[in-house]
Amino acid sequence: MDKLQHSIELIQNAEPLALKYQDYGFHLAFSGGKDSQVIYELAKMAGVKFKAFFYKTSVDPPELLKFIRTNYPEVEWIKPQMTMYQLILKKGMLPLRQCRFCCEYLKERNGINAVVITGITAVESNKRAKRKEREVSCIKGQDKVLIHPILRWTKSNCLRFLDEREIEKCILYETQDRIGCVGCPMSPKTMRRYFRNMPNFKLAYINTVKKLIEKGKYSEFESAEGVVDWWSSGLSRKQWMANKLQYRSNKG
């Protein structure tokens, strides 16, 4: 696979820079998903120095946490300064597809003063399709160099790579294509599945929204549960409200 050799060489060529920032080499962002498994294996194949980090968010699926503990015990866990629920209260709103402040606070602020290997791919979104394989950002006046070795890989490339090396994937992939935080607005379908299978998470979000309603937020909704149902629907507030009104009209 030409992509495979290119990815390995991309990592190897960046190692001198990574070692200038950190003695341990690369900071590898590991989520436990298939893409992060690929970059983990690529870093090993490249023979470079690196340390893998898992950014715990407080709303991670239990199956994923167990998978990482069992299969990747050497990965270092970074705990959040705030839970997702505390962050929502601080921001005064639920995270939305167009405003995913949760990623910024819980994930993107890690890896400062390091060369970070990520598992993002261009096929995930139009925005990511415009990214470059090597980027530099500045967070609070400090450097963060990003290396995206599988940016041009497809989903089938990643799955074939793992299958050929007989690398076990998280059990959640048996029923879904994507693994993320419970409540991630990027995939309403996955969010609804998580809420059905893990009602305790939905209840925690409802209880958090109740506190927002007490502060005057989401006053157009009848209940905190209604807010969470809208949030997981993938619809705009206007469309969700219109559908709700139409349902009541038809029922009456």
Side-chain angles (χ1 to χ4, degrees):
M1 184 193 300
D2 291 338
K3 289 181 180 179
L4 174 58
Q5 187 59 35
H6 174 75
S7 298
I8 290 175
E9 291 177 357
L10 181 69
I11 295 172
Q12 291 174 333
N13 292 338
E15 185 180 26
L17 180 60
L19 290 170
K20 286 183 179 180
Y21 278 101
Q22 299 291 342
D23 291 338
Y24 62 73
F26 291 101
H27 175 117
L28 190 143
F30 188 84
S31 69
K34 64 181 186 303
D35 296 337
S36 67
Q37 288 182 272
V38 171
I39 60 170
Y40 185 90
E41 187 69 13
L42 287 175
K44 289 171 59 179
M45 293 173 67
V48 298
K49 290 186 67 176
F50 74 95
K51 184 180 291 187
F53 297 88
F54 170 62
Y55 313 146
K56 195 172 186 297
T57 66
S58 74
V59 285
D60 309 288
E63 294 90 342
L64 178 65
L65 300 181
K66 180 180 179 181
F67 173 76
I68 296 173
R69 288 193 186 98
T70 303
N71 294 275
Y72 296 90
E74 65 281 5
V75 171
E76 184 172 321
W77 292 36
I78 298 179
K79 296 181 179 180
Q81 294 182 348
M82 286 186 289
T83 67
M84 173 69 89
Y85 311 111
Q86 292 170 333
L87 183 57
I88 289 172
L89 292 175
K90 177 180 178 179
K91 302 295 288 188
M93 63 179 289
L94 293 165
L96 302 173
R97 188 184 183 93
Q98 303 82 1
C99 184
R100 289 184 295 125
F101 54 80
C102 43
C103 287
E104 177 190 350
Y105 278 82
L106 301 175
K107 296 185 178 181
E108 294 170 5
R109 292 189 176 186
N110 293 304
I112 295 175
N113 278 336
V115 178
V116 181
I117 300 177
T118 84
I120 72 167
T121 59
V123 295
E124 292 177 277
S125 68
N126 291 330
K127 184 177 180 180
R128 289 190 171 181
K130 299 175 183 178
R131 303 282 292 269
K132 297 179 180 179
E133 290 180 328
R134 183 168 174 168
E135 300 174 315
V136 180
S137 64
C138 184
I139 300 176
K140 294 184 177 181
Q142 296 177 300
D143 289 342
K144 182 176 181 180
V145 181
L146 300 170
I147 302 295
H148 312 304
I150 60 171
L151 185 65
R152 304 305 169 192
W153 286 40
T154 63
K155 176 183 175 181
S156 60
N157 289 151
C158 293
L159 291 175
R160 180 156 54 91
F161 177 84
L162 295 176
D163 288 342
E164 288 177 350
R165 284 157 183 77
E166 298 182 343
I167 297 174
E168 179 185 355
K169 297 185 291 294
C170 180
I171 193 173
L172 289 171
Y173 280 118
E174 294 181 3
T175 56
Q176 58 199 63
D177 294 329
R178 180 182 179 277
I179 298 177
C181 297
V182 179
C184 177
M186 289 302 292
S187 178
K189 182 179 179 181
T190 300
M191 189 194 300
R192 293 193 295 272
R193 179 186 294 112
Y194 277 149
F195 285 168
R196 287 194 300 270
N197 298 334
M198 309 172 196
N200 57 312
F201 280 98
K202 183 176 182 179
L203 180 59
Y205 278 114
I206 290 173
N207 289 334
T208 302
V209 172
K210 285 180 180 178
K211 296 177 182 178
L212 292 179
I213 291 177
E214 290 173 359
K215 297 180 180 180
K217 306 291 185 179
Y218 299 113
S219 58
E220 69 271 37
F221 290 88
E222 294 182 349
S223 66
E225 187 171 2
V227 176
V228 174
D229 286 342
W230 153 70
W231 183 46
S232 61
S233 71
L235 301 174
S236 66
R237 291 195 199 192
K238 183 177 180 180
Q239 184 60 57
W240 192 86
M241 291 290 189
N243 289 355
K244 193 80 170 177
L245 185 62
Q246 183 65 39
Y247 172 78
R248 288 177 178 173
S249 177
N250 292 339
K251 190 176 181 180

